[in-house]
Amino acid sequence: MRRRAAAVLGAILALTTAACSAEPPSTPQPAPSPTTTTTATTATSAPAKVTTASGAPAVTWQVGAHPLPLRPDGFGEIEPTPPELVNRALPTKDVLLPPAGDRYASTIGAVPSDVLARSTWQAACPVKAADLRYLTMSFWGFDGRAHTGEMLVNAKGAAGITKVFGQLFAAHFPLEEMRVTSPAELTAPPTGDGNSTSAFVCRPARGQTTWSAHAYGLAVDVNPFCNPYSQGDLVLPELASAYLDRANRRPGMVLAGDATVRAFAAIGWTWGGAWTSPKDRMHFTATGH
């Protein structure tokens, strides 16, 4: 997804849910990632909670609850990271059964019709439905518990992706949620607080008529909020500015040379965080874009 930073009002998935398809610094740069800039979230993201003196949980942050004012480029206004999200560790709501015995488990299969229906796939997409695969994979949440997530990827990369997330599970690398992106997320107003790890999103690269790597199922965004996209004054998700400080290491961050980067590199995928501009820290791609 080249030159996605020039995205317009349609770039909201996740503000740009076909978002991260950018290319290395030596070539024209991509626009914000689709899954990364996800601005709409579903009930899979539970609110942050603290315990009150009475022992009752008090909600301190509800993901997706507060739409942001729009900038001229169609993205949300970039605002300071709320205190509750500076060291983000929101709980995960289970939508699939957790893995048995806290052991890593994964499946690869054809995309079920009901899953395809709630995804962004349509006949005009650059990849056939038959060339996508539906994955389920175990992951550790920020709550210290094992969960099962879902993902749509290109059949060419399915086996490698399950291997990568198996390594992340073994390393106890936390993910907040992992789910299939819905069509409503492409047009929802940006809230700047999404953090879903996802892959396939059918939409053009930001500001272009060409398809993003996500539209082929050949890119994955990992913990977008903890690993924001940035170019100039644009930060996506829009509330994630606190995570531009990569020296302040927090759970869920992807850093140069770490286990996450090495795991993707082992299957031939490159990392957008190594680009000079933009920096797409959440984005891993099989195409270089």
Coordinates of all heavy atoms in Angstrom, one line a residue, residues 9 11-15 39-41 183-191:
L9 N -11.0 10.7 3.3 CA -12.1 10.4 4.2 C -12.5 9.0 4.2 O -13.4 8.6 5.0 CB -13.3 11.3 3.9 CG -14.1 11.7 5.0 CD1 -14.2 11.0 6.2 CD2 -14.2 13.1 5.1
A11 N -10.5 6.5 4.4 CA -9.5 5.7 5.1 C -9.7 5.5 6.5 O -9.0 5.9 7.3 CB -8.2 6.4 4.9
I12 N -10.8 4.8 6.9 CA -10.9 4.6 8.3 C -11.1 3.2 8.6 O -12.1 2.7 8.6 CB -12.1 5.4 8.7 CG1 -11.9 6.8 8.4 CG2 -12.4 5.2 10.2 CD1 -13.0 7.7 8.9
L13 N -10.3 2.4 8.9 CA -10.5 1.1 9.5 C -9.9 0.8 10.8 O -9.0 0.5 10.9 CB -9.8 0.1 8.8 CG -9.7 -1.0 9.6 CD1 -8.8 -1.9 9.2 CD2 -10.7 -1.5 10.4
A14 N -10.8 0.4 10.1 CA -9.8 0.7 10.8 C -9.2 1.7 10.0 O -8.6 1.7 9.1 CB -9.1 -0.3 10.8
L15 N -9.6 2.9 10.2 CA -9.4 4.0 9.4 C -8.7 3.7 8.2 O -8.9 4.4 7.2 CB -8.4 4.9 10.2 CG -9.0 6.2 10.6 CD1 -8.0 7.1 11.1 CD2 -9.8 6.7 9.5
T39 N -10.4 2.3 13.1 CA -11.0 3.2 14.0 C -12.3 2.6 14.7 O -12.7 3.1 15.7 CB -11.4 4.4 13.3 OG1 -12.2 4.0 12.2 CG2 -10.2 5.2 12.8
A40 N -12.8 1.6 14.1 CA -14.0 1.0 14.7 C -13.6 -0.3 15.3 O -12.8 -1.0 14.8 CB -15.1 0.8 13.6
T41 N -14.2 -0.6 16.4 CA -13.9 -1.9 17.0 C -15.2 -2.6 17.3 O -16.2 -1.9 17.4 CB -13.1 -1.7 18.3 OG1 -13.9 -1.0 19.2 CG2 -11.8 -1.0 18.0
P183 N -17.0 -5.1 7.4 CA -17.2 -4.0 6.5 C -17.5 -2.7 7.2 O -17.1 -1.6 6.7 CB -18.4 -4.5 5.7 CG -18.3 -5.9 5.7 CD -17.9 -6.2 7.1
A184 N -18.3 -2.7 8.3 CA -18.6 -1.5 9.0 C -17.4 -0.7 9.5 O -17.5 0.5 9.6 CB -19.5 -1.9 10.2
E185 N -16.3 -1.4 9.7 CA -15.1 -0.7 10.2 C -14.5 0.2 9.2 O -13.7 1.1 9.5 CB -14.1 -1.8 10.7 CG -14.6 -2.5 11.9 CD -13.6 -3.5 12.4 OE1 -12.6 -3.1 13.0 OE2 -13.7 -4.7 12.2
L186 N -14.8 -0.1 7.9 CA -14.2 0.7 6.9 C -14.8 2.1 6.8 O -14.2 3.0 6.2 CB -14.4 0.0 5.5 CG -13.7 -1.4 5.4 CD1 -14.0 -2.0 4.0 CD2 -12.2 -1.3 5.7
T187 N -16.0 2.3 7.3 CA -16.7 3.5 7.1 C -17.0 4.2 8.5 O -17.6 5.3 8.5 CB -18.0 3.4 6.3 OG1 -18.8 2.4 6.9 CG2 -17.7 3.0 4.9
A188 N -16.7 3.5 9.6 CA -17.0 4.0 10.9 C -16.2 5.2 11.2 O -15.0 5.3 10.8 CB -16.8 2.9 12.0
P189 N -16.7 6.2 12.0 CA -15.9 7.3 12.4 C -14.7 6.9 13.2 O -14.8 6.0 14.0 CB -16.9 8.2 13.2 CG -17.9 7.3 13.6 CD -18.0 6.2 12.5
P190 N -13.5 7.5 13.0 CA -12.3 7.1 13.8 C -12.4 7.4 15.3 O -12.9 8.5 15.7 CB -11.2 7.9 13.1 CG -11.9 9.1 12.6 CD -13.3 8.7 12.2
T191 N -12.0 6.4 16.1 CA -11.9 6.7 17.5 C -10.5 6.6 18.0 O -10.2 7.0 19.1 CB -12.7 5.6 18.3 OG1 -12.3 4.3 17.9 CG2 -14.2 5.7 17.9

